[in-house]
Amino acid sequence: MKYKSLFYGLSAGYLVLFLSLSHFNQGNETALTWIGHLNIVPVLICTLLLIIVTQRSDNKNRLFWLFTTLSSSFYLLSLLLLFADTLSSRITLSSPGLADLFWVAEGALLFLGLLIVVYQRLKSLRLMQYLLDASIFMSTTAVFSWSLIIAPLLTNSAHEDGIQAFINLSYPIIDLGNLFLLSLLLFSNQTIGNSRTDKMLIASVLLLTVGDSVYLYMQLNETYLLGSPVDLTWTASILLLAVAGMDSLQSGPIKRTSRISTKLTTPLSWLRRLLPYVSLIALFAIILEELSEFNVMVVGSALAVLLIIARLILTFIENDYLLGRLTHTVEVKEHEANHDSLTGLPNRRKFDAELRRAVEQAKTDRHQLALLFFDLDRFKHVNDSLGHTVGDQLLQVVADRLREYIPLSRLLARQGGDEFTVLVDPLEGEVEAYRTIAAIEEVFKKPIMLNGVVLYGSASIGAALYPRDGETADELMRSADMAMHEAKKNRHQKSLFFEPNMGERLAYKVELEHEMRGAIERGEIFLHYQLQKNIQTCQIVGVEALIRWHHPTLGPISPVEFIPIAEETGMIIPIGEWVMRTACRQQVEWMHRGHGCLRMSVNVSPYQFQDELFVEKILHTLRETGVDPRNMTIEVTESLAIRDVEKVSAQLRLLRDTGIRLAIDDFGTGYASLKYLRTFEPHLLKIDRFFVDGIDVETERGNMVQAIIAIGRSLNMEVLAEGVETLEQLEFLRAAGCDEVQGYYLSRPLPADGVEQLLRGPFRMTHTV
């Protein structure tokens, strides 16, 4: 509940104020009477708070808090009756009267609440040991109560009416009952809520018992005066009861900010165990004190009991040692089960449990929480190129930095591999989620040095908010995961919040994956070809084979949508083989129809290089179809540069040795550097359409295109510009020294028969250019 600290402060302030006013007005009965009526305010507030606690408590504890609320309500009613008696001369309370019965009801209702808890908690336990421990302790307490209070009250009851005697005797008997039930819970190690709840409840019952006992003792000895400090014990008891109720609504253990409580744990545990036997010793001390003369049998019995207790203490010490070792082993195993062995962070099992608990709590308290899901970009490349040992070291360094940058209030965990999660709970505003995202991004701004290698990392981060993006832990995790994968595909923004259309896109992606299987056999996938022209000689030199998919119900599906899915699922390998074989057959067919030896360019995915038989399959296709390797161009993207460089270089070298040409596609938009151009030794650089668009009107893009052409010239490579759509662009490229172009200005991608029609109109295209 909110404002607990304020309530604690006001409660302490009220108690100090009440004691101060009572002290300064000693002897003034009128003032002390009105000061006593001030107790109505805190008791009323506590009663209202206990009503809220009862409503919000779980079913297990609701009945107990209902009875404590009724207990507080009856005490409030007694105070209101006394206030009405003081306020109005028409109201005169009898003694004993209704207010006295309400006071008795206060303790009786608390007794019923504790009785319900004892029944709920102990009905399935073996009660005999706990009953014996509680009975031993209560025997001494009962003796003291009998000697100091109950016996004198029985003596005085002969001179009082029956109702007054009943009320007076009810207080110590009910208090003994409350102490017995409380000790039974204490010895059986059962709790109402968390540790603070139990402490506040014990303090509340003890204060009520002490207040009743001291008040009755002072009445018997005629020493009670109005305004005595004992008057505050009942109100303080209600305040502690309200504090216990508020703390019970906080699920999970209370985080300790001091070691004092930890240091007291062992002594308190020993006190709980030895309390029955200490009580027994005290009882024998009372018996010895009451003896009129020295009795050897009683002293011998007391000595035997002391020896038995000493033997029990030695057994306790031995058991504690064994239990300590067992507890340590269990804690180690528990930590291993809930934490990642590599990074020391909480693992997926721990995080899932905490996330489910946080969602349930957020549902109860009606607050938000945020889940961040992120992984490291290009981590597989680190593992493949530098080894798994370096990959593990990278994860450890990243985990250490995350601990440093992310606040301790956020739950950070490793899901597995290079995936991490952060739980922001509670979320007071979305700005907290943005700050945590910024902290994660800060981790990767500094380079990481491992084994003499400098690594620059980054992360793709997905965020989901409860309850907007999911009402269960699983839904929230799924939403954050989808947002992370969207961020991974986004070049410009590496952190994204979940949006509903992401789920739609994922469903569409799953559908595409399903429909892609068998699409070639069903004839849905086919090739289009786009002309390539040498603008220096004005001759058509080749075509680029472009894959197309037309689904009978979904319609045309862009390669931008289905190629990434094919790469993720591994279907890109059979699809790539089909494209190569189909393109080669078409090239041979055109040659037989008299269209010359057109160069055929085929795009190859970086994932195809992972196939150990990749080179052999291409060479086999060329031999099978009869295509001259010199008329074949393999186009790869710059992202090939982040793969296993040595393996890829060896594969490309084998292809080049057979006469196959190599082209770097979309140059300038990916990861390539001059170093990789030297390593891969391509024959052709293809300038991405992004740079070509607007070169005739934007000086900056024109300069970049000229620079790429200059790079190609300096490395003895030909340069082809993609996306040429206007005559002005064409003339600019020709003047800049570009060798070849392709784009809508020449022709759109066309099926094979459409390309043939262009080739049959001999100089129609070349004349326009």
Side-chain angles (χ1 to χ4, degrees):
M1 297 177 69
K2 296 182 178 179
Y3 311 117
K4 285 198 297 185
S5 299
L6 177 62
F7 177 75
Y8 299 158
L10 291 176
S11 299
Y14 172 78
L15 296 176
V16 172
L17 176 65
F18 186 91
L19 288 173
S20 301
L21 292 175
S22 299
H23 175 74
F24 289 119
N25 288 279
Q26 282 296 324
N28 187 344
E29 289 194 8
T30 302
L32 291 173
T33 300
W34 283 100
I35 291 171
H37 292 324
L38 291 176
N39 287 323
I40 293 174
V41 176
V43 174
L44 174 62
I45 294 173
C46 290
T47 303
L48 295 175
L49 287 174
L50 287 171
I51 291 173
I52 296 173
V53 169
T54 303
Q55 292 174 340
R56 296 188 180 181
S57 292
D58 53 31
N59 294 331
K60 183 179 179 182
N61 292 322
R62 185 166 297 161
L63 200 55
F64 168 75
W65 291 113
L66 175 62
F67 275 99
T68 57
T69 303
L70 291 174
S71 173
S72 176
S73 301
F74 273 90
Y75 181 53
L76 176 63
L77 289 174
S78 67
L79 294 178
L80 291 174
L81 284 175
L82 293 176
F83 180 66
D85 180 53
T86 304
L87 199 62
S88 174
S89 57
R90 298 180 181 179
I91 299 176
T92 303
L93 295 179
S94 59
S95 181
L98 194 57
D100 299 282
L101 293 176
F102 284 164
W103 279 328
V104 172
E106 176 196 3
L109 289 166
L110 184 59
F111 174 81
L112 290 175
L114 289 172
L115 187 63
I116 290 170
V117 173
V118 168
Y119 175 75
Q120 289 176 337
R121 303 293 197 275
L122 274 63
K123 64 180 179 180
S124 60
L125 299 178
R126 300 173 66 181
L127 290 178
M128 188 55 65
Q129 176 186 344
Y130 308 131
L131 284 171
L132 288 174
D133 286 344
S135 299
I136 294 171
F137 166 69
M138 289 304 300
S139 62
T140 303
T141 309
V143 167
F144 276 108
S145 182
W146 174 270
S147 302
L148 298 176
I149 299 174
I150 297 177
L153 284 176
L154 286 173
T155 303
N156 291 346
S157 65
H159 309 292
E160 298 174 345
D161 58 49
I163 296 177
Q164 183 67 58
F166 168 77
I167 290 174
N168 287 341
L169 287 171
S170 296
Y171 291 128
I173 293 173
I174 291 174
D175 289 338
L176 287 173
N178 286 332
L179 284 178
F180 175 72
L181 295 176
L182 196 64
S183 62
L184 197 56
L185 289 172
L186 183 65
F187 291 132
S188 60
N189 204 25
Q190 299 299 308
T191 62
I192 303 295
N194 54 52
S195 59
R196 188 185 294 172
T197 301
D198 296 335
K199 291 173 184 175
M200 294 300 104
L201 180 62
I202 291 172
S204 174
V205 174
L206 289 178
L207 264 180
L208 180 63
T209 303
V210 168
D212 289 343
S213 302
V214 172
Y215 172 76
L216 290 172
Y217 185 79
M218 294 174 72
Q219 287 280 29
L220 288 169
N221 291 278
E222 298 181 352
T223 57
Y224 173 76
L225 296 174
L226 189 63
S228 172
V230 73
D231 293 344
L232 196 60
T233 55
W234 298 295
T235 301
S237 173
I238 298 296
L239 287 170
L240 289 172
L241 199 60
V243 171
M246 287 189 291
D247 285 329
S248 72
L249 297 181
Q250 181 175 342
S251 61
I254 302 296
K255 292 184 179 178
R256 303 189 185 280
T257 56
S258 170
R259 296 185 178 181
I260 296 177
S261 299
T262 306
K263 292 179 179 179
L264 287 176
T265 301
T266 302
L268 288 176
S269 174
W270 274 96
L271 177 63
R272 188 186 69 208
R273 286 189 233 173
L274 296 180
L275 192 58
Y277 308 106
V278 172
S279 302
L280 189 60
I281 294 172
L283 185 60
F284 270 100
I286 294 173
I287 294 173
L288 291 175
E289 178 69 22
E290 294 294 325
L291 288 176
S292 56
E293 60 182 19
F294 185 76
N295 191 320
V296 176
M297 292 183 65
V298 174
V299 173
S301 299
L303 182 60
V305 169
L306 288 175
L307 292 173
I308 292 172
I309 292 174
R311 179 67 183 88
L312 285 173
I313 292 174
L314 291 176
T315 304
F316 287 156
I317 293 173
E318 183 180 358
N319 290 342
D320 263 6
Y321 171 72
L322 296 175
L323 186 61
R325 292 184 60 181
L326 178 61
T327 301
H328 175 71
T329 303
V330 170
E331 288 175 352
V332 170
K333 294 298 182 184
E334 181 73 15
H335 186 275
E336 290 176 352
N338 289 305
H339 289 78
D340 173 50
S341 59
L342 179 65
T343 63
L345 294 175
N347 59 15
R348 180 176 181 177
R349 176 175 179 267
K350 173 72 171 177
F351 186 85
D352 287 351
E354 289 298 320
L355 178 61
R356 295 181 192 281
R357 183 202 63 76
V359 168
E360 290 300 320
Q361 191 65 38
K363 188 181 298 182
T364 302
D365 296 344
R366 297 180 181 178
H367 69 245
Q368 284 185 308
L369 57 86
L371 172 61
L372 308 182
F373 197 122
F374 64 98
D375 71 357
L376 311 188
D377 297 328
R378 301 185 295 278
F379 179 72
K380 186 177 184 303
H381 170 60
V382 175
N383 271 341
D384 292 344
S385 58
L386 301 178
H388 288 275
T389 301
V390 175
D392 289 346
Q393 292 173 356
L394 175 60
L395 291 174
Q396 290 172 332
V397 173
V398 168
D400 290 340
R401 287 191 181 180
L402 287 170
R403 287 192 192 93
E404 179 183 351
Y405 284 93
I406 295 177
L408 293 176
S409 58
R410 315 289 191 238
L411 178 60
L412 167 67
R414 181 190 177 201
Q415 290 290 307
D418 63 328
E419 294 180 338
F420 297 85
T421 47
V422 180
L423 177 62
V424 184
D425 175 37
L427 182 69
E428 299 296 339
E430 288 190 22
V431 66
E432 294 177 84
Y434 284 109
R435 285 174 181 163
T436 308
I437 290 173
I440 296 171
E441 292 174 339
E442 193 70 25
V443 167
F444 298 96
K445 288 184 178 179
K446 297 179 182 178
I448 298 174
M449 175 74 73
L450 293 175
N451 295 348
V453 179
V454 179
L455 299 176
Y456 289 87
S458 61
S460 299
I461 308 169
L465 303 180
Y466 171 88
R468 187 188 73 185
D469 302 329
E471 295 185 353
T472 66
D474 291 337
E475 290 176 0
L476 206 61
M477 184 70 80
R478 189 161 54 248
S479 297
D481 192 11
M482 277 191 279
M484 185 266 287
H485 281 90
E486 288 294 323
K488 186 169 285 293
K489 294 186 290 186
N490 195 317
R491 290 184 179 181
H492 307 291
Q493 189 174 354
K494 301 305 291 181
S495 60
L496 291 175
F497 278 79
F498 175 79
E499 297 176 2
N501 59 2
M502 291 180 182
E504 297 171 5
R505 288 200 294 270
L506 180 61
Y508 180 63
K509 178 180 174 182
V510 172
E511 184 179 8
L512 287 186
E513 179 183 343
H514 174 73
E515 294 297 327
M516 194 184 304
R517 303 180 188 277
I520 294 176
E521 291 76 6
R522 296 192 299 268
E524 298 171 8
I525 291 181
F526 49 89
L527 294 184
H528 277 186
Y529 305 89
Q530 189 171 36
L531 294 174
Q532 296 173 335
K533 190 177 190 71
N534 187 308
I535 57 176
Q536 303 299 332
T537 63
C538 294
Q539 291 182 345
I540 299 294
V541 293
V543 293
E544 179 181 1
L546 300 169
I547 191 169
R548 295 291 183 263
W549 182 11
H550 192 285
H551 191 273
T553 57
L554 299 175
I557 302 172
S558 169
V560 175
E561 294 180 341
F562 71 82
I563 290 298
I565 298 174
E567 291 177 334
E568 290 177 16
T569 58
M571 285 189 284
I572 192 64
I573 293 178
I575 289 175
E577 293 173 9
W578 176 86
V579 170
M580 178 65 68
R581 186 167 55 253
T582 304
C584 288
R585 288 173 179 171
Q586 185 60 59
Q587 185 186 37
V588 172
E589 183 178 343
W590 280 334
M591 184 176 64
H592 290 163
R593 292 187 180 185
H595 296 302
C597 297
L598 286 174
R599 184 184 69 204
M600 180 64 70
S601 294
V602 176
N603 290 282
V604 174
S605 166
Y607 290 86
Q608 291 178 256
F609 283 84
Q610 297 176 8
D611 183 2
E612 297 295 333
L613 300 176
F614 170 67
V615 174
E616 287 76 3
K617 288 178 180 178
I618 290 180
L619 298 179
H620 173 74
T621 301
L622 295 179
R623 289 192 297 269
E624 182 184 47
T625 57
V627 172
D628 187 342
R630 291 172 297 180
N631 293 329
M632 175 60 62
T633 299
I634 299 295
E635 295 189 11
V636 296
T637 60
E638 294 183 55
S639 60
L640 190 67
I642 66 170
R643 305 285 161 180
D644 187 338
V645 177
E646 293 184 3
K647 177 182 177 181
V648 170
S649 298
Q651 291 172 314
L652 294 178
R653 193 178 304 113
L654 289 173
L655 293 175
R656 280 197 309 271
D657 290 345
T658 64
I660 295 176
R661 289 163 55 88
L662 172 65
I664 299 293
D665 196 14
D666 301 333
F667 184 78
T669 62
Y671 305 90
S673 67
L674 295 179
K675 170 188 172 183
Y676 290 121
L677 291 181
R678 276 298 192 190
T679 302
F680 295 154
E681 299 182 26
H683 300 86
L684 180 69
L685 289 184
K686 297 187 70 173
I687 304 174
D688 187 76
R689 66 182 65 247
F690 171 79
F691 300 104
V692 174
D693 184 27
I695 56 174
D696 51 333
V697 292
E698 293 185 23
T699 305
E700 183 179 354
R701 294 201 185 188
N703 292 337
M704 294 176 71
V705 168
Q706 289 174 334
I708 294 174
I709 294 173
I711 290 173
R713 291 294 183 198
S714 65
L715 295 175
N716 198 28
M717 301 174 190
E718 294 180 353
V719 180
L720 182 149
E722 297 180 295
V724 177
E725 299 182 355
T726 67
L727 178 61
E728 289 76 16
Q729 293 173 350
L730 181 67
E731 294 299 340
F732 182 95
L733 292 166
R734 180 183 284 126
C738 183
D739 299 293
E740 300 174 7
V741 295
Q742 74 180 77
Y744 284 4
Y745 187 74
L746 296 179
S747 75
R748 292 176 176 271
L750 298 171
D753 56 353
V755 173
E756 282 193 56
Q757 291 179 11
L758 292 177
L759 295 176
R760 286 197 190 101
F763 298 97
R764 189 183 314 175
M765 295 302 297
T766 54
H767 283 173
T768 9
V769 180

